[in-house]
Amino acid sequence: MDKQIEFENYKIRQPEIWAGNIDDRELTERIRDSEFARKQNDTGKDYCYFLDKKYYTSNTENGEYSCMAYTLNEPANLERASVSDIVVEENEVYNIHRISVLRDGVLIDKIPDTKIKVLDSENQSSGGILSSNKKINITIKDLRLYDVLILEDSRLKSFTERDFLRKEFSKYVWVSPDNYWAYGNYKFTFINDREEKIAFKKTFFRDENGVVLQPEINYLNKGEKFVFEKQNYINPVDASREIFPYIDFATDNSWKDLSNYISSIYNEIFNTASLKDFAPNLIEKLDEISDLDEKIQFAVEYVQNNIYYIFNADEMNGHKPQEPAITYENKQGDCKAKSVLLKAILDYIGVESSIVLVNFHTDFYIKYYLPSLLTFNHAIVKINYKNEEFFVDATVRDEFGLLGNRGFTYFMHYLEVKPDQELKIRKPHKYPYYCIDEKVDFNVQNTIGKIVLTTTYKGNRANAMRRYFKNTNKREVIDSWNNFLFYSLNYSNDRSGTDVRNIFKDASIDIISDDKKLNEFKIQYKSTVENPYYTDPKNDRFLMYFDRNVVKASARDFMHEDLPFWHNFDSEKYEINLYTDQKIDTQEKYTIQESNINNPYFDFISRKKITKNGATINIEFNPLVNLEIPQNDFEKFKTDHHTIADSNFGLGIDIIEPGLMNMLKFSFKKRFK
């Protein structure tokens, strides 16, 4: 290709030397039908004749190259190929080397039919996110069904001073391809042109029997390559039950080396100035608070709510934080800046704290990854107080409570920004309070039922409900509770299709209290039901209340060979009272059924009190959370959740209809049951 067209964010040009070069003759020779190709086409799927991917890394730049040829036999695939978007970072250039089609055996250059626009990446420039990323929109005219599309392109990221971490360290994760595609030839090459040695680790690869192989770790010196190549290849992974095999490439380091490197950078920032030097007004407010618990609450909420969270995508590529004086003065900063300012305030009031690096999105994989600072994408604060560890995300807004009452952030792995640290695993957690504490009173007289729900939320639940009530229309909130009760009282089975507003008359919901120190949010729902009993097809009447939120469907339905179940359920407590002016069956099996489950990962207790006119059930659910359930414990864990679902998540009472014949009918039914 002779065309050389250059713009700031993209170029039409020849590939880099490290990417190699393929001429038209070689290209067309590689696009040949085979028995494997015909078999894939017969299934109705599109087919990739070849895919050649390369990743190049040096101390000055990273590059990714791809050359591929695939069929456009499916209209949806043709549509996707006709218009595509490429997002490039600051100082990253997208290079187009070839856009062609093979049509009826003739190779046609489609670059003259290609329209390219450079747009701001609007998805990443709102809500506190600042980004100089650009979106390159590519439209290819006159692509036709049954064309073979050939795309050859690359992207090159040159490092600036802001990318000091990328200059020093490399990290890249190759993930095996989507198993929709069949490849005549699939090839991936990693090229190390750095001065430092690169380690690479193959994880979740399987043998011919589908058994996961032990991870392999090997090394690449400067100038060396790793090649993964397959012929007639379909990724055999079971996408719904297995993790896609991947290879992690990272500059060879230990966690201790990395913690020493990063802690020196943070110490430099901490030593720039003390809180006394730049925040006298804040110190004055802190000094007015005598109670240390309240000082901590003030410090956390000040940084969370008064310092605007700015996620600067370009600066987040490095780990050098903004000085706390600048963050305080400008009232804005990213996660590192906000965390450093919070630590500076905690240092002033004499509370031990540290910065920790996390990645909530890839938390499960961190234990498998090679040590790398580029694994982490977020900074939070760890507080040691009263012999306990608390983790505070300084970027969150509208959270309240003294330290022990604040919302709980779920994650397992972190690197503490201190010298000589290893990767740490956070301890499992047991809530010292009930996240949901609810009392249900449903009393029926004659044909009128009065229902009252009084609910206290704590921790994450309180924060979430506080936001929900603040941001949601009152009528919508009431409808939400009405819909919940429509199913809980089993009305969905005897009056399906009825407008819930016609069932729950005069429904109201009110905030009873909001304690921002205890982080308790209490509400009360009330309504009248004119036809309160559920009636089955035999015209037998029942009073029921089953809260399906108590049943953890995710635990009962979970099936995966590689991923352990992540346990993050809330602690819950319920008191459900159902009373009527009718006689009830006090010996019915499910009415009197109780449960007591003592699983290593949760306790579940339901206790009942039965009278001639009603019943009460008390339910308590106390989980051990923030951990992965080991595979060998999961079957028992799952079975115990099935036990909860077997009528132990609520209460039902059977009405004995008045009259001699009904009493005889009931007695006869009990005798022969």
Side-chain angles (χ1 to χ4, degrees):
M1 184 186 65
D2 298 325
K3 300 181 184 70
Q4 297 287 330
I5 301 173
E6 297 193 6
F7 295 91
E8 183 181 355
N9 302 107
Y10 75 91
K11 299 177 182 179
I12 298 174
R13 60 186 294 262
Q14 294 283 354
E16 301 288 332
I17 294 173
W18 55 264
N21 196 13
I22 180 171
D23 59 31
D24 289 352
R25 182 187 58 80
E26 184 183 351
L27 194 68
T28 52
E29 284 181 357
R30 295 182 69 181
I31 305 172
R32 287 189 175 179
D33 281 334
S34 64
E35 186 179 338
F36 178 75
R38 285 190 291 272
K39 185 177 178 181
Q40 304 313 313
N41 285 324
D42 288 345
T43 66
K45 292 184 179 181
D46 274 304
Y47 174 71
C48 186
Y49 287 94
F50 65 86
L51 172 58
D52 188 6
K53 291 171 65 76
K54 294 176 183 176
Y55 184 85
Y56 169 86
T57 184
S58 73
N59 297 98
T60 59
E61 62 185 10
N62 287 336
E64 291 187 68
Y65 167 87
S66 173
C67 183
M68 65 189 304
Y70 62 96
T71 61
L72 299 178
N73 298 341
E74 286 291 308
N77 205 27
L78 172 66
E79 199 172 289
R80 283 191 293 269
S82 298
V83 182
S84 59
D85 290 326
I86 307 293
V87 176
V88 293
E89 297 179 0
E90 184 181 36
N91 294 313
E92 185 175 32
V93 177
Y94 176 64
N95 298 307
I96 298 171
H97 310 307
R98 180 186 272 111
I99 301 175
S100 304
V101 296
L102 189 66
R103 183 180 295 162
D104 300 325
V106 178
L107 193 64
I108 302 170
D109 181 10
K110 297 298 289 182
I111 286 180
D113 293 331
T114 300
K115 187 175 182 181
I116 302 172
K117 296 178 184 176
V118 179
L119 310 166
D120 287 330
S121 183
E122 71 279 355
N123 290 339
Q124 307 212 357
S125 296
S126 61
I129 296 176
L130 302 179
S131 176
S132 55
N133 288 358
K134 296 293 182 182
K135 182 169 72 177
I136 299 171
N137 177 265
I138 301 170
T139 304
I140 309 171
K141 292 190 296 183
D142 191 34
L143 291 181
R144 302 178 189 177
L145 281 176
Y146 311 115
D147 280 347
V148 175
L149 178 63
I150 300 121
L151 295 175
E152 185 183 17
D153 59 13
S154 64
R155 52 174 69 215
L156 204 64
K157 167 75 174 179
S158 299
F159 303 144
T160 65
E161 287 305 312
R162 201 153 46 189
D163 297 307
F164 73 98
L165 208 64
R166 285 182 174 177
K167 288 182 179 180
E168 194 83 19
F169 305 103
S170 175
K171 181 177 175 66
Y172 179 79
V173 179
W174 171 84
V175 181
S176 55
D178 192 317
N179 51 13
Y180 166 85
W181 287 96
Y183 300 88
N185 177 269
Y186 180 94
K187 186 176 181 181
F188 168 75
T189 305
F190 185 98
I191 305 165
N192 180 24
D193 199 25
R194 287 178 173 261
E195 299 300 324
E196 301 81 20
K197 184 165 60 176
I198 297 282
F200 65 96
K201 182 179 181 182
K202 298 174 71 175
T203 310
F204 288 105
F205 282 79
R206 290 171 163 77
D207 64 18
E208 61 275 7
N209 298 316
V211 177
V212 174
L213 299 168
Q214 285 297 311
E216 300 175 21
I217 300 179
N218 292 288
Y219 300 92
L220 296 172
N221 292 313
K222 180 179 171 66
E224 293 185 330
K225 300 177 181 179
F226 165 83
V227 178
F228 175 90
E229 187 169 14
K230 295 284 186 181
Q231 306 292 331
N232 296 336
Y233 174 58
I234 302 175
N235 192 348
V237 68
D238 181 349
S240 64
R241 302 286 182 91
E242 298 171 351
I243 291 174
F244 277 73
Y246 65 89
I247 306 173
D248 182 26
F249 297 85
T251 308
D252 187 30
N253 285 109
S254 69
W255 286 118
K256 279 190 177 181
D257 292 338
L258 296 171
S259 71
N260 288 333
Y261 175 88
I262 198 66
S263 61
S264 65
I265 293 173
Y266 274 77
N267 285 337
E268 220 177 283
I269 299 297
F270 291 139
N271 294 331
T272 55
S274 69
L275 199 69
K276 290 180 180 178
D277 298 327
F278 63 81
N281 293 338
L282 179 61
I283 283 177
E284 189 178 328
K285 292 176 182 177
L286 285 165
D287 290 346
E288 288 174 357
I289 303 170
S290 57
D291 183 82
L292 186 55
D293 289 288
E294 292 181 14
K295 278 189 178 182
I296 296 171
Q297 181 185 2
F298 177 84
V300 171
E301 291 175 11
Y302 175 82
V303 175
Q304 285 185 334
N305 298 322
N306 292 277
I307 307 298
Y308 187 54
Y309 177 42
I310 298 291
F311 178 92
N312 190 316
D314 304 314
E315 293 183 3
M316 281 300 293
N317 295 330
H319 271 272
K320 192 169 184 178
Q322 181 174 267
E323 294 179 15
I326 296 173
T327 306
Y328 179 77
E329 177 67 26
N330 295 341
K331 296 293 184 287
Q332 64 183 37
D334 65 11
C335 61
K336 302 186 303 297
K338 293 190 71 166
S339 295
V340 165
L341 177 58
L342 177 55
K343 176 172 166 48
I345 300 171
L346 294 169
D347 286 347
Y348 172 77
I349 62 177
V351 174
E352 182 187 348
S353 67
S354 59
I355 309 298
V356 301
L357 306 178
V358 296
N359 190 330
F360 298 149
H361 298 297
T362 62
D363 188 60
F364 165 77
Y365 295 97
I366 291 177
K367 61 179 173 289
Y368 296 107
Y369 283 158
L370 294 163
S372 175
L373 290 172
L374 295 170
T375 293
F376 305 108
N377 68 351
H378 198 45
I380 60 175
V381 178
K382 176 185 173 187
I383 301 174
N384 297 318
Y385 187 61
K386 294 182 178 178
N387 298 318
E388 288 190 63
E389 294 177 349
F390 301 92
F391 292 85
V392 173
D393 187 343
T395 68
V396 177
R397 281 180 176 268
D398 296 326
E399 286 202 339
F400 299 94
L402 301 174
L403 199 54
N405 300 326
R406 301 187 75 79
F408 184 86
T409 304
Y410 289 96
F411 69 94
M412 279 186 70
H413 303 94
Y414 65 95
L415 183 67
E416 198 161 3
V417 181
K418 287 181 178 179
D420 298 323
Q421 296 296 301
E422 295 288 352
L423 184 71
K424 290 186 177 179
I425 296 178
R426 191 178 178 191
K427 299 172 187 174
H429 179 69
K430 202 145 197 173
Y431 281 103
Y433 52 77
Y434 289 104
C435 303
I436 303 173
D437 188 347
E438 183 164 83
K439 183 182 180 185
V440 180
D441 292 301
F442 193 23
N443 292 287
V444 178
Q445 295 290 324
N446 297 317
T447 59
I448 302 296
K450 298 282 188 181
I451 188 164
V452 179
L453 274 66
T454 307
T455 314
T456 301
Y457 301 98
K458 289 201 69 168
N460 288 328
R461 290 282 186 163
N463 293 324
M465 277 297 168
R466 196 180 284 114
R467 285 191 287 265
Y468 177 68
F469 273 76
K470 179 181 177 181
N471 298 323
T472 310
N473 176 273
K474 187 73 172 284
R475 184 68 261 177
E476 188 180 334
V477 174
I478 293 171
D479 282 343
S480 176
W481 259 254
N482 288 343
N483 285 320
F484 164 76
L485 290 169
F486 182 68
Y487 289 93
S488 296
L489 296 168
N490 208 30
Y491 296 159
S492 56
N493 283 325
D494 73 346
R495 58 200 83 176
S496 179
T498 307
D499 187 340
V500 292
R501 294 186 183 183
N502 293 328
I503 297 172
F504 301 101
K505 305 285 189 179
D506 306 320
S508 66
I509 193 163
D510 294 296
I511 299 170
I512 303 301
S513 62
D514 184 5
D515 189 320
K516 290 189 172 67
K517 284 187 181 179
L518 294 176
N519 198 18
E520 285 187 355
F521 188 76
K522 189 174 184 179
I523 64 167
Q524 190 171 78
Y525 167 95
K526 295 180 179 179
S527 72
T528 301
V529 184
E530 293 180 353
N531 180 18
Y533 297 105
Y534 160 68
T535 305
D536 72 5
K538 296 179 182 179
N539 284 326
D540 292 329
R541 294 187 300 163
F542 305 86
L543 212 54
M544 294 182 168
Y545 190 98
F546 285 90
D547 189 336
R548 287 163 177 78
N549 292 319
V550 179
V551 177
K552 310 306 178 191
S554 59
R556 298 174 67 212
D557 298 339
F558 185 80
M559 289 182 289
H560 206 284
E561 292 182 22
D562 300 328
L563 280 170
F565 185 81
W566 176 244
H567 199 212
N568 63 345
F569 297 133
D570 287 336
S571 56
E572 300 169 65
K573 181 181 179 183
Y574 300 91
E575 178 188 324
I576 303 168
N577 303 291
L578 304 180
Y579 286 92
T580 173
D581 56 357
Q582 307 289 301
K583 287 185 178 181
I584 73 164
D585 182 352
T586 59
Q587 297 302 313
E588 200 280 327
K589 175 187 173 183
Y590 289 108
T591 298
I592 63 174
Q593 176 178 285
E594 297 180 328
S595 62
N596 189 354
I597 300 171
N598 298 116
N599 189 282
Y601 304 102
F602 71 92
D603 296 324
F604 182 88
I605 299 171
S606 66
R607 291 286 177 264
K608 292 177 179 173
K609 180 182 177 183
I610 313 296
T611 71
K612 66 179 181 178
N613 294 111
T616 293
I617 182 172
N618 288 282
I619 298 172
E620 295 182 19
F621 177 67
N622 289 290
L624 180 68
V625 297
N626 202 68
L627 52 80
E628 296 168 342
I629 308 295
Q631 295 281 8
N632 56 349
D633 290 347
F634 185 70
E635 276 310 308
K636 176 68 165 58
F637 176 82
K638 190 173 185 176
T639 300
D640 284 341
H641 276 284
H642 281 306
T643 301
I644 293 173
D646 185 18
S647 299
N648 289 305
F649 58 100
L651 179 63
I653 56 178
D654 297 22
I655 305 301
I656 301 175
E657 301 297 345
L660 179 60
M661 292 302 295
N662 284 322
M663 291 297 292
L664 290 172
K665 174 184 169 185
F666 169 76
S667 179
F668 181 81
K669 182 174 73 172
K670 293 296 289 182
R671 189 176 301 168
F672 293 98
K673 201 168 184 178

